Amino acid sequence: MTTEVLVVGAGPTGLVTALWLTALGVRVRIIDKTAEPGTTSRALAVQVRTLELYDHLGLARDVIERGRRFVAANLWVRGTKAGRIAFGDLGMDLSPFPYALIFPQDEHERVLIAQLAMRGVEVERGTTLIGFDDHGDHVSARLRRADGTEESAAAAYVAGCDGAHSTVREILCIGFPGGTYEHLFYVADVEARGGVMDGELHVALDDADFVAVFPLKSARGARLVGTVRMDAERQIDELGWDDVGADVLARLGIDVRRLNWFSTYHVHHRVADRLVKGRAFLLGDAAHIHSPVGGQGMNTGIGDAVNLAWKLAAVLKHQAPPAVLETYEPERIGFARRLVATTDRAFTLVTSRGRLARLVRVHVVPRLLPALFRARLMRRLMFRTVSQTGIRYRESALSAGRAGAVHGGDRLPWVGDNFGPLSSLAWQTHVYGAPSEEVRKACASLGLTLHVFPWRRSMRRAGLVCDALYLVRPDGYVALADRDASAETLERYLDTRGIRLTRAAQNDRRVT
């Protein structure tokens, strides 16, 4: 087969899936039924964990230069500021990118498309998936091109990244339970003036209205997400800017000078019953959709993409058994369900028309949040949650052991110079301190690159143990944490899971 993975859908999730697979030497084909990439700025937030993953491909700096950093979020209630949380100082010792980034999705997609093109892969526009059959050892897909002609295409696997109305999900007959929020919402890109046009995120709550103000690259540019007036919701086909909740905008002092783009939409919260069926997988919005609270949606899809891509590559390159693909669903669906549940509760609170919700929104929240924001532990927890650096897979079949505060399944803690080797996209061993001769010989025998970092006190604060052994997966998560740094434990981990490493597949660069 000339195609090993057929990627259906060329939004951020599909593009990252194709890009990561291509970087790992997998032959991909990526199709999308639209004639051209999106031209409006839908998803905006690029979270810390996404930037870390992009850095593995050398992509983070380009995205950062094109986007706009924002390091603080503000909460307003009835026109009065109720609290502010600064993210930059909280993440300084947690990540090389201690901030979120505002980068409109249409521009984001163009960067990913260009990166794919540099690797010789073009998105096949106007190409629709009609159906596919799983033959057990491969998949045969039926495609319709833009000119109406049809073709049959074979692939080893199908990655369904085709959005909330996923054709892949429908073909697989996988349920997509959930619901729709009662409010009708609007999204608008504007040029405006006012005190809140300061490059920070602002969220405003009122008795009946809600609006979030996201800064864009230009000094006066902003993305507004808010509620449509109750009396206008029945006329959805005729809605315009005059139908938004203007009172809350006025209380924030937002003077809109120009409207560049406006749309209305319903917000849904759903998670697919399963993410894997045979040789087909669901990722991104095809697998889960939720409220815009926290800017998590696109980033969760990108996390799906990286998680699946390295596993597909390992199986296709005969470096791992097909059983490794069985870890994709349990690692990702649990997080998706928790995310939908937590954002659902938060979104219901800030948008519900109920009397109790209004009471909490305008009386309890202004008193409670300032106290929470003053507590460093709470601010740190919020940073880990929103940044997605707190995502972990401790219950996965690929996770084992503990050394210090770090368990198998945790994201590798950042200690200043240990993320560089992750650009190899390969299995690797880290020792913070001095490895034993036994460990050195075992790594050499296994074809496993050993990275040694001189011990520093900051490493203990990050949860690491001096001289312990940490086996790191290709996506930067710890697979095995072994306080005793036993070569036998390392060999047994790889052997029992069928992980086969060859020096030709590894990056021999060592960090000392």
Side-chain angles (χ1 to χ4, degrees), residues 208-452:
D209 289 334
F210 154 84
V211 69
V213 183
F214 296 86
L216 297 180
K217 186 72 171 179
S218 64
R220 295 180 181 177
R223 157 73 68 83
L224 305 180
V225 177
T227 49
V228 173
R229 291 196 336 264
M230 291 174 58
D231 61 329
E233 289 189 7
R234 293 183 300 273
Q235 309 162 16
I236 186 170
D237 295 333
E238 304 171 5
L239 294 178
W241 176 247
D242 293 338
D243 298 303
V244 308
D247 290 344
V248 67
L249 296 177
R251 290 191 184 188
L252 285 179
I254 298 176
D255 180 14
V256 175
R257 297 299 182 89
R258 180 177 177 180
L259 178 67
N260 296 322
W261 177 62
F262 176 84
S263 182
T264 58
Y265 64 103
H266 283 286
V267 176
H268 305 270
H269 50 98
R270 301 180 184 277
V271 180
D273 287 331
R274 55 193 300 189
L275 307 186
V276 183
K277 190 171 183 181
R279 288 180 165 260
F281 303 83
L282 299 178
L283 304 83
D285 286 356
H288 43 75
I289 52 175
H290 33 78
S291 83
V293 168
Q296 301 292 294
M298 179 184 67
N299 297 275
T300 305
I302 290 170
D304 294 343
V306 175
N307 187 288
L308 179 62
W310 78 260
K311 295 171 183 176
L312 284 171
V315 172
L316 289 164
K317 300 298 180 183
H318 307 291
Q319 295 167 2
V324 76
L325 297 173
E326 296 173 8
T327 66
Y328 168 68
E329 180 176 306
E331 287 189 358
R332 296 305 296 176
I333 201 169
F335 172 69
R337 286 170 175 163
R338 290 192 301 275
L339 180 62
V340 167
T342 54
T343 58
D344 177 57
R345 287 192 290 268
F347 203 58
T348 298
L349 173 65
V350 300
T351 63
S352 176
R353 295 168 176 154
R355 182 174 178 275
L356 179 60
R358 289 200 302 271
L359 179 67
V360 172
R361 193 161 55 232
V362 300
H363 293 291
V364 177
V365 168
R367 291 174 173 84
L368 180 62
L369 277 189
L372 292 177
F373 284 5
R374 285 193 296 269
R376 180 173 174 80
L377 285 177
M378 179 57 67
R379 298 202 313 273
R380 203 167 177 87
L381 175 62
M382 292 180 67
F383 176 86
R384 287 185 179 276
T385 301
V386 174
S387 68
Q388 298 199 350
T389 57
I391 295 175
R392 59 194 190 191
Y393 310 127
R394 290 184 178 180
E395 305 304 317
S396 172
L398 290 176
S399 303
R402 175 183 179 181
V406 179
H407 295 241
D410 290 356
R411 161 187 167 272
L412 179 70
W414 176 70
V415 291
D417 56 355
N418 65 330
F419 274 21
L422 301 181
S423 62
S424 68
L425 307 185
W427 288 88
Q428 55 195 266
T429 301
H430 286 205
V431 172
Y432 300 85
S436 67
E437 188 61 27
E438 177 190 44
V439 166
R440 288 186 180 276
K441 288 180 178 179
C443 289
S445 174
L446 292 165
L448 184 63
T449 304
L450 171 63
H451 296 281
V452 180

Side-chain angles (χ1 to χ4, degrees), residues 104-115:
Q105 183 175 331
D106 55 334
E107 298 177 42
H108 192 159
E109 288 181 7
R110 286 198 291 271
V111 170
L112 297 173
I113 290 168
Q115 286 289 322

Side-chain angles (χ1 to χ4, degrees), residues 77-306:
V77 178
R78 286 180 168 174
T80 301
K81 185 181 286 190
R84 179 179 185 272
I85 181 169
F87 296 115
D89 59 338
L90 294 175
M92 290 299 292
D93 60 342
L94 297 177
S95 174
F97 310 105
Y99 43 78
L101 193 75
I102 297 296
F103 191 40
Q105 183 175 331
D106 55 334
E107 298 177 42
H108 192 159
E109 288 181 7
R110 286 198 291 271
V111 170
L112 297 173
I113 290 168
Q115 286 289 322
L116 261 180
M118 288 172 58
R119 297 176 184 269
V121 178
E122 299 286 343
V123 177
E124 298 179 40
R125 292 285 172 188
T127 303
T128 302
L129 174 70
I130 302 172
F132 63 85
D133 297 307
D134 189 332
H135 301 285
D137 60 348
H138 74 284
V139 173
S140 58
R142 298 178 299 283
L143 309 178
R144 179 181 294 119
R145 302 188 190 92
D147 61 4
T149 60
E150 296 184 4
E151 68 166 302
S152 178
Y157 297 98
V158 171
C161 310
D162 47 345
H165 302 289
S166 169
T167 299
V168 174
R169 192 183 63 243
E170 291 178 2
I171 292 171
L172 296 174
C173 297
I174 292 176
F176 202 36
T180 304
Y181 295 100
E182 59 175 333
H183 260 308
L184 182 67
F185 296 86
Y186 73 86
V187 57
D189 280 358
V190 302
E191 293 178 19
R193 294 181 179 178
V196 299
M197 301 294 293
D198 57 1
E200 298 185 0
L201 170 66
H202 295 266
V203 177
L205 308 178
D206 238 332
D207 292 86
D209 289 334
F210 154 84
V211 69
V213 183
F214 296 86
L216 297 180
K217 186 72 171 179
S218 64
R220 295 180 181 177
R223 157 73 68 83
L224 305 180
V225 177
T227 49
V228 173
R229 291 196 336 264
M230 291 174 58
D231 61 329
E233 289 189 7
R234 293 183 300 273
Q235 309 162 16
I236 186 170
D237 295 333
E238 304 171 5
L239 294 178
W241 176 247
D242 293 338
D243 298 303
V244 308
D247 290 344
V248 67
L249 296 177
R251 290 191 184 188
L252 285 179
I254 298 176
D255 180 14
V256 175
R257 297 299 182 89
R258 180 177 177 180
L259 178 67
N260 296 322
W261 177 62
F262 176 84
S263 182
T264 58
Y265 64 103
H266 283 286
V267 176
H268 305 270
H269 50 98
R270 301 180 184 277
V271 180
D273 287 331
R274 55 193 300 189
L275 307 186
V276 183
K277 190 171 183 181
R279 288 180 165 260
F281 303 83
L282 299 178
L283 304 83
D285 286 356
H288 43 75
I289 52 175
H290 33 78
S291 83
V293 168
Q296 301 292 294
M298 179 184 67
N299 297 275
T300 305
I302 290 170
D304 294 343
V306 175

